[in-house]
Amino acid sequence: MTRDEAAEFLYREALHLDRREWDQWLALYAEDAVFWIPAWKSETEQTSDPDREMSLIYYEGRRNLEDRVFRIKSGQSPASTPLPRTVHAVTNVLITAREPHAVETSASWTVHRYDTRRKDAHVFFGLYEHRIERRDSEWLIARKKVLLMNDIVPSVLDVYAF
Amino acid sequence: MNEMRTIETISPIDSMIDAMIDDRPADGVFRLDRRMFTDPELFEAERRHVFEGGWVFLGLACEIPEAHDYFTRQIGRHPIVVMRDGSGSLGGFINSCPHKGSRVCQLAHGNSRLHVCPYHSWTFDSAGKNRGVKWKAAGAHAPAFDELSHDLRRLPAFAEHNGFLFGSLVGDVPPLSEHLGEAAKLLDLITEESPDGIELVPGSVAFTYHGNWKLQLENASDAYHFTSTHPSYLKVLELRAERPDDATPRSVWESDQPWSEEAAGVQGGSYSFDHGHVLNWGLIPASPAHPMYDRVEALGERLGPGKRDWIFNMRNLTVFPNMQIVESAASQLRIIRPIAPDMTEVTTWCFAPRGESAAARRQRIRSYEDFFNPTGMATPDDAACYENCQAGHASGLVGPLQGYSRGIAATKLGGNVFSDKLGMTPAANVLADSQLCDETLYHNYYRAWRTRMRAGVAREALA
Ligand code: FES
Ligand SMILES: [Fe+2]
């Protein structure tokens, strides 16, 4: 996977989220994918051991993301009904490691979120670290780690805004 | 002139305090004016009198175990710092330099023997003592300067109960033991979850919402909302039960449904304590979904069956006005901080008994994130409801709220067979079946609120 291809892969993930193409979004993830957003333990340091320290989200297995999508679509979550609008912007994509059947990337992201209930916009921003692996014939996300810089959550923050 | 004076001496807040709460126990009436959630002047007054005018929770002693450890927080608007000095004593201080007011300690927590003010380098030790006024000798001060203390100002009241730290910006408060009263037994129970006490899981998470602080206060005590606000979470638990998978987090709600009609008889209830503290609770049998299940026998041996059962029960404790401890899917500590009539910050931590197994700790954290985090599957739904309420209260004028009525006819003074197991005597209790969902425990918040507000207004009138 070249840097351009990796960037395109990340852009596609972002677009699926912003278009609410949930099945296509989930299809980018390996079944055993890790989805991790560490919490901050001080002004400068994030948590690093999800089994002993807090994360905002830590899931092992795409199954958990499927459950989140189920909840978002259920119509029974006041935080998700109506769903806030989002636009992701992904930039500064770099390949940080390369193996025969995997690449690791870093990238910068912003997500503009518009809450239609309150008619209120908010910008989240941070860094991505993806591990993308070739499984059979497909490239799939084996791990997505999100560093959220502005981590005071304004009432609602869900998987679609990372 | 006389007329002018009369108008000045009747505080508009004073009359507003009484008008907010229609509290007539003999008539079975308790109604709240919506301006409680919206009025800017009332908000300013309650920030002064409720938050800056009495005991508030600051944090845990276990956050600063070593000499010279410190953490910073706020009481109302004031930055404060809690430090452990070289001899191990804890102290609470206003985190503002006596020179020109800069915040002295900049970090959320740290360890330092000396704190150097970033502005002109006045220096303080971990007991708050001034250790240096830069270029003092050359300063050509008048003698009056030397008569002043240059130390960090101590909080007028600061005290610990069993590792829980409280402070007050006014000195005329009852002793902490009196403020906590019988509710202290619920704090003690938490520390007994392990023979070595509790600890915070590293990494705190904060969220804000566009709503009044009392919406959070009430929600933790709101048994009525659970199946209405969180059906999506409950459906996810059902999905997980249909397709069991080691990768999914556990939850105490996964098998036990105390709200269902099949759950006959007493399923929980509420306790109200003096000074505004409340507990609502639900019977939850020990099950593998609970992170302490591997110690159920050890807990029984150490504490007896009564306390052991209480440790597995759902317990939502509020220590008025700013601390909540919620124990169900996992254990959460929250500090509520009002920012504006329609803006509140809630800082949250997962706490855990020290020494639990790696597997139990992992299960606890997964369960916590999934349910409690503002990025999880329950708390955002609560926050959305707070914002919907705040929107509904917008004008403050549309008649009183009716949500303080359930349980009035079931309220009994004193304790019951369940509080007896903790040797605890609350001021009042309600025993509830699965669907009673007591709302009288909110009365206790607002009566304490009224007491603090009146005391604050009286204090200001004297000053
Ligand atoms: S404000 Fe602290 S030394 Fe001047
Ligand atoms: Fe809730």
Side-chain angles (χ1 to χ4, degrees):
Chain A
M1 191 177 250
T2 65
R3 193 178 76 126
D4 273 1
E5 286 165 343
E8 196 175 322
F9 187 97
L10 299 186
Y11 299 161
R12 186 166 305 122
E13 185 193 10
L15 190 61
H16 286 323
L17 286 169
D18 294 337
R19 285 186 174 165
R20 314 311 190 202
E21 293 164 351
W22 304 116
D23 292 344
Q24 284 129 295
W25 175 62
L26 289 166
L28 295 176
Y29 282 78
E31 206 180 325
D32 58 352
V34 169
F35 189 94
W36 182 23
I37 305 159
W40 288 87
K41 49 182 177 183
S42 70
E43 284 77 0
T44 51
E45 211 187 344
Q46 284 159 322
T47 58
S48 56
D49 180 351
D51 287 349
R52 294 204 273 190
E53 299 175 321
M54 188 50 52
S55 301
L56 286 163
I57 296 179
Y58 182 82
Y59 288 131
E60 287 175 0
R62 184 181 65 210
R63 162 71 190 279
N64 292 295
L65 298 178
E66 291 165 9
D67 289 347
R68 297 292 293 241
V69 166
F70 168 84
R71 172 175 172 275
I72 290 163
K73 294 200 301 187
S74 69
Q76 297 191 312
S77 154
S80 323
T81 318
L83 203 60
R85 300 169 190 156
T86 58
V87 170
H88 287 64
V90 180
T91 180
N92 301 13
V93 180
L94 294 174
I95 304 270
T96 53
R98 192 182 282 287
E99 294 164 29
H101 297 288
V103 294
E104 293 184 6
T105 63
S106 73
S108 308
W109 60 274
T110 55
V111 169
H112 287 255
R113 183 199 66 188
Y114 182 69
D115 175 351
T116 58
R117 288 180 299 125
R118 299 197 56 257
K119 306 193 175 19
D120 178 56
H122 187 86
V123 185
F124 298 100
F125 51 91
L127 300 175
Y128 285 144
E129 293 172 13
H130 281 76
R131 180 178 171 86
I132 307 167
E133 292 183 2
R134 195 160 182 95
R135 301 279 181 96
D136 300 326
S137 59
E138 274 182 307
W139 289 96
L140 296 174
I141 298 169
R143 184 168 185 269
K144 177 177 180 176
K145 180 178 174 189
V146 182
L147 308 183
L148 172 66
M149 298 302 173
N150 50 339
D151 67 323
I152 294 194
V153 174
S155 47
V156 174
L157 179 54
D158 209 329
V159 289
Y160 55 77
F162 290 106
Chain B
M1 281 309 276
N2 263 346
E3 223 177 287
M4 289 273 297
R5 286 183 67 107
T6 317
I7 289 166
E8 272 170 15
T9 49
I10 298 175
S11 149
I13 288 299
D14 211 4
S15 52
M16 204 169 171
I17 293 167
D18 290 332
M20 290 300 99
I21 307 169
D22 183 4
D23 182 9
R24 287 175 281 140
D27 302 332
V29 169
F30 191 102
R31 295 182 194 132
L32 208 62
D33 191 301
R34 293 177 191 236
R35 285 173 293 171
M36 279 294 266
F37 300 92
T38 61
D39 189 90
E41 281 176 41
L42 195 69
F43 176 79
E44 280 308 310
E46 69 185 7
R47 196 155 55 173
R48 283 204 310 282
H49 304 322
V50 176
F51 283 82
E52 300 166 2
W55 285 115
V56 296
F57 175 69
L58 301 178
L60 300 176
C62 68
E63 294 180 71
I64 44 174
E66 306 295 335
H68 314 298
D69 281 351
Y70 69 90
F71 66 73
T72 57
R73 298 268 142 83
Q74 273 182 251
I75 298 180
R77 288 161 291 195
H78 295 262
I80 60 132
V81 55
V82 176
M83 302 193 273
R84 192 181 286 278
D85 69 15
S87 70
S89 302
L90 294 166
F93 303 88
I94 307 284
N95 184 15
S96 172
C97 182
H99 178 235
K100 286 172 79 76
S102 167
R103 273 196 323 186
V104 176
C105 306
Q106 305 295 311
L107 302 177
H109 49 80
N111 179 286
S112 190
R113 281 167 189 276
L114 289 177
H115 298 271
V116 181
C117 178
Y119 202 3
H120 314 91
S121 303
W122 282 26
T123 301
F124 309 89
D125 67 18
S126 56
K129 274 242 154 307
N130 189 306
R131 292 306 188 104
V133 169
K134 187 178 81 170
W135 299 339
K136 169 74 173 52
H141 296 97
F145 178 79
D146 294 326
E147 288 161 18
L148 294 172
S149 161
H150 311 307
D151 299 342
L152 288 181
R153 205 184 131 209
R154 274 187 185 273
L155 291 178
F158 175 81
E160 171 181 356
H161 174 83
N162 209 353
F164 295 88
L165 308 177
F166 293 81
S168 168
L169 289 172
V170 298
D172 62 333
V173 286
L176 182 63
S177 57
E178 186 186 325
H179 169 67
L180 296 174
E182 289 289 287
K185 289 176 180 158
L186 293 165
L187 295 177
D188 296 342
L189 181 70
I190 289 160
T191 67
E192 285 179 322
E193 289 174 9
S194 151
D196 304 317
I198 56 164
E199 63 190 353
L200 295 182
V201 172
S204 76
V205 175
F207 65 96
T208 56
Y209 60 88
H210 289 268
N212 191 269
W213 64 278
K214 297 180 219 75
L215 293 162
Q216 173 66 57
L217 194 76
E218 287 191 12
N219 185 257
S221 312
D222 186 328
Y224 199 33
H225 84 291
F226 193 74
T227 56
S228 307
T229 306
H230 304 299
S232 68
Y233 174 72
L234 296 171
K235 287 258 165 64
V236 166
L237 297 187
E238 279 172 31
L239 281 184
R240 288 175 179 169
E242 284 163 23
R243 268 175 59 207
D245 182 336
D246 285 346
T248 58
R250 304 295 301 263
S251 166
V252 291
W253 312 115
E254 68 191 33
S255 53
D256 192 56
Q257 308 220 316
W259 52 83
S260 70
E261 280 171 57
E262 296 87 76
V266 170
Q267 294 297 316
S270 72
Y271 295 116
S272 296
F273 301 91
D274 292 342
H275 305 288
H277 321 309
V278 308
L279 178 83
N280 65 309
W281 66 279
L283 279 178
I284 294 190
S287 83
H290 199 291
M292 280 189 286
Y293 187 65
D294 62 352
R295 274 146 301 142
V296 62
E297 278 170 31
L299 285 166
E301 278 165 28
R302 184 162 54 85
L303 303 171
K307 276 190 177 174
R308 175 201 61 201
D309 292 351
W310 262 111
I311 281 175
F312 287 90
N313 283 343
M314 184 210 96
R315 284 167 285 142
N316 289 9
L317 171 68
T318 300
V319 176
F320 188 82
N322 71 329
M323 176 218 220
Q324 296 187 316
I325 289 185
V326 185
E327 297 220 57
S328 53
S331 305
Q332 184 178 48
L333 170 67
R334 303 177 182 145
I335 297 182
I336 304 171
R337 188 168 71 89
I339 295 172
D342 60 352
M343 177 57 82
T344 305
E345 180 188 78
V346 184
T347 309
T348 64
W349 293 264
C350 176
F351 70 86
R354 279 182 201 276
E356 72 183 346
S357 71
R361 181 60 57 94
R362 175 188 161 88
Q363 181 182 336
R364 173 185 298 277
I365 294 173
R366 290 294 88 79
S367 175
Y368 178 101
E369 290 157 351
D370 203 46
F371 183 75
F372 282 124
N373 264 347
T375 42
M377 291 198 278
T379 295
D381 291 323
D382 294 310
C385 289
Y386 309 161
E387 294 187 341
N388 282 330
C389 288
Q390 193 70 25
H393 295 334
S395 74
L397 296 174
V398 196
L401 294 166
Q402 302 176 10
Y404 306 92
S405 311
R406 302 178 73 87
I408 286 185
T411 304
K412 301 244 177 357
L413 290 180
N416 53 34
V417 288
F418 293 97
S419 53
D420 289 349
K421 291 181 190 171
L422 295 175
M424 178 177 81
T425 310
N429 81 85
V430 171
L431 278 181
D433 65 12
S434 60
Q435 295 172 0
L436 188 150
C437 303
D438 179 43
E439 294 174 334
T440 67
L441 70 185
Y442 310 131
H443 304 185
N444 207 43
Y445 289 151
Y446 294 111
R447 288 171 184 155
W449 179 91
R450 188 171 54 197
T451 304
R452 278 203 190 196
M453 289 289 272
R454 282 179 181 157
V457 168
R459 188 186 299 119
E460 271 186 2
L462 285 175

